[in-house]
Structures are given as C-alpha cells and as structure tokens.
Amino acid sequence: LPVWQAFKISPDRDDLRNQLLEHYLPVVKVHSERLWHRLPDGVELDDLFSAGCFGMLNAICALGSFSSAANEQALIASIH
C-alpha cells in the first residue's frame, strides 16, 4: 500500500493512520468473529471488535518504520 510509505515518512498524520485502519478493518472483523464463536455466551462480538481495533491501531503505530510486506504479516499476527 502506498499509504504505508507515506505513513513511514509522516507517522504523526492521523489521516494516514486512519486510512490504514480502515483498510484492515475487515481483517479485524473476521478474526473477531472467529474468536467469538469459540468463547462463552457472555462475550459480546462488539467488545472483541473494539479490542481488535485498538490492537490494530497500536500495531500500526508501532510498525510504521517497517516495510509494508512485513507490516501486513505483523498486523495479522497482532490481532490473533
């Protein structure tokens, strides 16, 4: 993604961070749903999705200095 290159240059830009998060939201949703099916009934899917989004934001900020290919793999691993 070209957004990764721009984010590496300007990691303080919220708009780029948000674009990356929006790009990976479907991945967070899929993993949240998979996990939700294995948890007890009292766990809310929305809570898992929210936690996954916060984890994704932290990972995006932490991985801003790595290559985009490494970022893709690390981001997916971070939401497991």
Side-chain angles (χ1 to χ4, degrees):
L1 286 173
V3 179
W4 272 118
Q5 283 87 24
F7 186 69
K8 285 175 21 178
I9 295 168
S10 303
D12 57 334
R13 287 188 50 194
D14 292 340
D15 61 323
L16 295 174
R17 185 200 63 214
N18 292 342
Q19 285 179 29
L20 288 168
L21 178 62
E22 288 176 16
H23 177 77
Y24 291 106
L25 281 179
V27 176
V28 175
K29 182 178 181 192
V30 166
H31 287 286
S32 298
E33 289 173 348
R34 286 182 185 167
L35 180 61
W36 181 63
H37 289 294
R38 295 182 296 184
L39 294 174
D41 290 341
V43 178
E44 296 289 332
L45 178 58
D46 290 340
D47 293 339
L48 288 175
F49 183 72
S50 294
C53 288
F54 281 113
M56 183 63 70
L57 278 174
N58 290 336
I60 287 170
C61 292
L63 297 171
S65 61
F66 293 99
S67 71
S68 60
N71 285 346
E72 292 256 344
Q73 294 172 350
L75 286 172
I76 291 171
S78 73
I79 60 171
H80 279 138

